[in-house]
């Protein structure tokens, strides 16, 4: 007996050891792969500092510019103070950049860079992107561990990694924008999901449960600090746990411990984010508070009587009512900037309203806020991810539905589920993931940007399913398979199917990935480099630049000069500024544009040919079209649109160098892509 037990322990230890090694190796290899691909794409090491910085586009440029400022500050404390009382970025505004732009990743990166003595070893930009790539490695390892914990085999983890990398276009935005908040935050969310998966398991020992609880706590709080939209994702997770608990699919005590983690994380984040009112009015706080208040009523609902069923319906109604009421009261009494543009956007998105508002229509035109394209589903089908995900989801969802009906009819939970039972839906961690993935998938069907949260989930769930003997056994139970021993067949399929998938993916996609890493890509924007060089050399220190928000982000990073607007969309004032500055591409008079620019103390104006002469794939989504609609410069007649305005398009007219444009603006620099005009200070206004 002793020998047998020691063999079992050794096998478990060997399985755990090799699984951990595989998870860590996968994470490290993915981080190295990202680093190599980034180097090949941008020729990063052979570029000058300015040329490297130009690779940070849009809002990414803003985040990295503040990291640079922190490193230049005489001390960390002084650097933080200057960021929290920042009046050198946006003209006529003092902003708390740390709170408004969630700059905690940059604070941490700058502290680590200086505290580790890396100044003499590595350049700041390499240290910064190195941390982000390292976090992506952790992200990969966390997905590996989640599918391993669910399936019981680390073969599932390997398949998750393969699908994730192959579908990289749809699983991550790391290729396009390294400093994005989601690239810093989602690895912590993946760790939280992995820990929560272990925590919800029925047959987990006390020490492992305690470890998972601590990891859930730490990763939830960190995730909340890294991304301003994190509490919305945690709200979706809280809804999943609420449904899980309501149908008695999990131990109630565990769910309420997670609710306490949410409350504690919200409270701590509220204090450390300068008393951020967005967290107080978040739906997460309202829902969790409502659930905690309704806890006493839920105690009587686990019996199969008719009264208990009615109470369950009342319980759902009660939780919904308290959540909505509490959220309304909080929004009434807590002073906060209501994002009216978000509400208007949702109204128009769901066809409840129409608008000519530039900001709302511009948001609707953003690719990440549109519905997913057919190409997205085609890519997932070609990599075999979508078919297997749908198969796994149908089986698991059907099994969970069966379990829910059993609970409603009063059948008690089984103490221990064996492979022969074929009841995969009775495992609480499986039920949680099924509910969560359905909710995430529903959101991804509405907003394409949500695919970067849902597709990694698809990789993990599909890999777990095909590698899980329990899933195949559940299917065989429904099919009432008798010809072959079902358990043996389930074990064979759980090894054979992922092996076949893995081999076919390796054969088709491995050569492509190797080619991708070996080919040097050309990325060099000489016009933008020349513009930035001119600004640094010729513009006075007190200059304030006006132009498109994306270009202003780059001006701020590459030159440090003050700008009139920023590519940030969570602030009503900045959105209004963006709309006003974009008028340089509308059919407005020189005097109108001059008044707008001088109201923001702008001294230089930059016109971009790419926006002024934009042809674009979607005609109605070009900046100039949206401006014409908002300004009433478009007349629609029997389906045809006719442009009508007293003035020509400003960005075209200003290039002609005739009155009255030359009275207000003086051209000081131009190249193929950009035209820079000095805004004259002394003007004799002409009608």
């Amino acid at each position: 007996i002793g020998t047998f037990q020691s063999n079992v322990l050794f096998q478990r230890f060997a399985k755990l050891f090799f699984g951990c090694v595989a998870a860590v190796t996968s994470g490290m290899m993915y981080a190295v792969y990202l680093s190599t691909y980034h180097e090949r794409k941008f020729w990063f090491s052979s570029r000058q500092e300015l040329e490297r910085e130009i690779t940070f586009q849009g809002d990414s440029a803003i985040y990295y510019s503040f990291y640079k400022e922190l490193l230049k500050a005489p001390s960390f404390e002084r650097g933080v103070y200057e960021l929290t009382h920042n009046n050198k970025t946006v003209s006529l505004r003092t902003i708390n950049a740390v709170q408004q732009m969630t700059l905690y990743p940059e604070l941490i990166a700058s502290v680590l860079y200086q505290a580790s003595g890396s100044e003499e070893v590595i350049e700041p930009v390499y240290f910064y992107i190195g941390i982000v790539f390292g976090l992506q490695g952790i992200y990969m390892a966390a997905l590996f561990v989640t599918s391993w914990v669910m399936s019981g085999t680390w073969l599932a983890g390997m398949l998750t990694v393969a699908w994730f990398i192959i579908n990289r276009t749809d699983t991550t935005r790391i290729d396009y924008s390294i400093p994005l908040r989601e690239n810093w935050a989602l690895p912590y969310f993946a760790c939280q999901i992995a820990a929560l998966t272990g925590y919800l398991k029925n047959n987990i020992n006390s020490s492992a449960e305690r470890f998972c609880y601590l990891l859930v706590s730490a990763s939830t709080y960190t995730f909340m600090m890294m991304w301003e939209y994190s509490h919305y994702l945690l709200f979706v997770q809280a809804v999943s746990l609420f449904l899980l608990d309501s149908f008695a699919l999990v131990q109630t005590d565990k769910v309420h411990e997670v609710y306490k983690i949410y409350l504690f994380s919200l409270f701590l984040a509220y204090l450390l984010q300068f008393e951020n009112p967005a967290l107080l009015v978040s739906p997460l706080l309202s829902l969790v508070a409502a659930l905690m208040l309704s806890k006493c009523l839920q105690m009587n609902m686990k019996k199969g009587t008719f009264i208990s069923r009615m109470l369950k319906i009342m319980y759902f109604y009660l939780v919904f009512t308290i959540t909505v009421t509490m959220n309304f009261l909080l929004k009434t009494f807590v002073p906060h900037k209501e994002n009216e543009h978000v509400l208007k956007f949702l109204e128009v998105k769901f066809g409840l309203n129409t608008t000519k508002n530039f900001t709302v229509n511009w948001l609707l035109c953003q690719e990440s806020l549109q519905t997913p394209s057919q190409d997205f589903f085609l890519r997932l089908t070609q990599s075999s991810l979508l078919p297997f995900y749908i198969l796994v989801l149908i089986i698991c969802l059907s099994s969970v539905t069966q379990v829910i009906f059993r609970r409603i009819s009063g059948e008690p939970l089984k103490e221990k589920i064996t492979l022969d039972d074929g009841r995969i839906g009775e495992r609480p961690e499986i039920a949680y993931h099924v509910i969560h993935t359905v909710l995430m998938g529903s959101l991804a069907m509405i907003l394409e940007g949500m695919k970067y949260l849902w597709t990694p989930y698809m990789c993990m769930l599909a890999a777990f399913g095909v590698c899980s003997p329990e899933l195949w056994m559940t299917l065989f139970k429904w099919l009432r398979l008798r010809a072959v021993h079902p358990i043996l067949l389930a074990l064979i399929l759980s090894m054979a199917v992922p092996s076949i998938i893995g081999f076919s993916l390796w054969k088709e996609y491995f050569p492509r990935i190797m080619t991708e890493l070996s080919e040097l890509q050309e990325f060099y924007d000489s016009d933008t480099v020349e513009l930035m060089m001119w600004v640094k050399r010729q513009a006075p220190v007190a200059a304030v630049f006006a132009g498109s928000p994306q270009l202003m982000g780059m001006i701020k990073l590459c030159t440090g000069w003050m700008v009139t607007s920023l590519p940030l969309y969570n602030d009503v004032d900045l959105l209004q500024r963006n709309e006003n500055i974009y008028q340089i591409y509308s059919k407005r008079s020189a005097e109108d544009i001059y008044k707008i620019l001088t109201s923001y103390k702008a001294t230089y104006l930059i016109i971009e040919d790419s926006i002024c002469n934009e042809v674009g794939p979607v005609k109605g989504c070009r900046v100039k079209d949206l401006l014409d609609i908002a300004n009433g410069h478009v007349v629609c007649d029997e389906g045809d649109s006719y442009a009508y305005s007293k003035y020509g398009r400003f960005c075209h007219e200003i290039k002609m160098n005739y009155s009255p444009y030359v009275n207000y603006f003086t051209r000081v620099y131009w190249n193929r892509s950009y035209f820079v005009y000095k805004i004259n200070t002394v003007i004799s206004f002409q009608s």
Side-chain angles (χ1 to χ4, degrees), residues 341-357:
H341 64 281
V342 175
L343 298 175
K344 285 180 184 174
F345 164 78
L346 292 173
E347 283 181 5
V348 178
K349 177 75 178 173
F350 294 115
L352 302 174
N353 202 352
T354 56
T355 183
K356 291 184 177 180
N357 182 280

Side-chain angles (χ1 to χ4, degrees), residues 91-103:
S91 62
L92 302 179
R93 270 196 74 176
T94 298
I95 57 174
N96 182 343
V98 177
Q99 180 191 346
Q100 192 158 350
M101 300 173 200
T102 321
L103 296 179

Side-chain angles (χ1 to χ4, degrees), residues 559-578:
T559 70
W561 263 249
M562 193 178 284
V563 294
T564 54
S565 58
L566 289 175
L568 297 168
Y569 314 114
N570 58 356
D571 183 276
V572 176
D573 178 59
L574 284 175
L575 282 169
Q576 187 58 53
R577 279 176 177 245
N578 291 347

Side-chain angles (χ1 to χ4, degrees), residues 115-126:
S116 61
S118 301
E119 291 99 325
E120 298 175 8
V121 182
I122 188 171
E123 292 177 60
V125 65
Y126 280 109

Side-chain angles (χ1 to χ4, degrees), residues 288-477:
V288 174
L291 290 167
M292 300 295 271
L293 286 172
S294 309
K295 183 181 178 183
C296 56
L297 188 66
Q298 196 184 13
M299 296 296 180
N300 303 315
M301 293 186 200
K302 302 297 165 73
K303 298 167 187 172
T305 62
F306 175 76
I307 295 170
S308 72
R309 291 174 208 166
M310 292 305 295
L311 280 172
K312 191 178 286 292
I313 295 168
M314 288 297 294
Y315 174 69
F316 275 104
Y317 177 75
L318 182 71
V319 169
F320 176 77
T321 307
I322 294 174
T323 302
V324 172
T325 306
M326 189 169 290
N327 195 251
F328 175 77
L329 290 172
L330 284 168
K331 285 185 175 180
T332 304
F333 293 107
V334 175
H336 69 290
K337 288 185 178 179
E338 180 62 62
N339 290 330
E340 290 181 12
H341 64 281
V342 175
L343 298 175
K344 285 180 184 174
F345 164 78
L346 292 173
E347 283 181 5
V348 178
K349 177 75 178 173
F350 294 115
L352 302 174
N353 202 352
T354 56
T355 183
K356 291 184 177 180
N357 182 280
F358 171 82
T359 300
V360 174
N361 286 327
W362 186 81
L363 287 171
L364 281 166
C365 285
Q366 299 307 298
E367 188 181 343
S368 60
L369 297 178
Q370 294 179 355
T371 50
S373 61
Q374 289 183 347
D375 291 345
F376 167 59
F377 299 105
L378 186 63
R379 286 192 298 270
L380 296 187
T381 304
Q382 286 173 340
S383 66
S384 75
L385 173 59
L386 189 61
F388 283 106
Y389 169 77
I390 292 171
L391 172 69
V392 171
L393 184 62
I394 289 171
I395 296 171
C396 289
L397 192 58
S398 303
S399 185
V400 169
T401 307
Q402 279 186 341
V403 174
I404 290 170
F405 277 115
R406 289 195 194 106
R407 296 292 170 274
I408 292 170
S409 61
E411 187 179 316
L413 273 164
K414 282 196 76 172
E415 287 293 322
K416 193 174 181 182
I417 304 158
T418 60
L419 181 59
D420 194 43
D421 291 328
R423 290 188 182 183
I424 196 166
E426 289 214 6
R427 287 172 55 189
E429 71 274 22
I430 304 300
Y432 157 70
H433 280 289
V434 167
I435 295 169
H436 199 175
T437 193
V438 167
L439 292 177
M440 298 271 267
S442 303
L443 290 171
M445 293 301 102
I446 301 167
L447 304 171
E448 185 167 355
M450 288 295 296
K451 72 180 181 181
Y452 298 109
L453 304 169
W454 183 50
T455 316
Y457 226 99
M458 291 175 72
C459 298
M460 181 264 295
L461 202 74
F464 134 75
V466 296
C467 295
S468 173
E470 282 180 87
L471 181 118
W472 295 109
M473 195 64 203
T474 304
L475 180 62
F476 296 154
K477 279 283 182 181

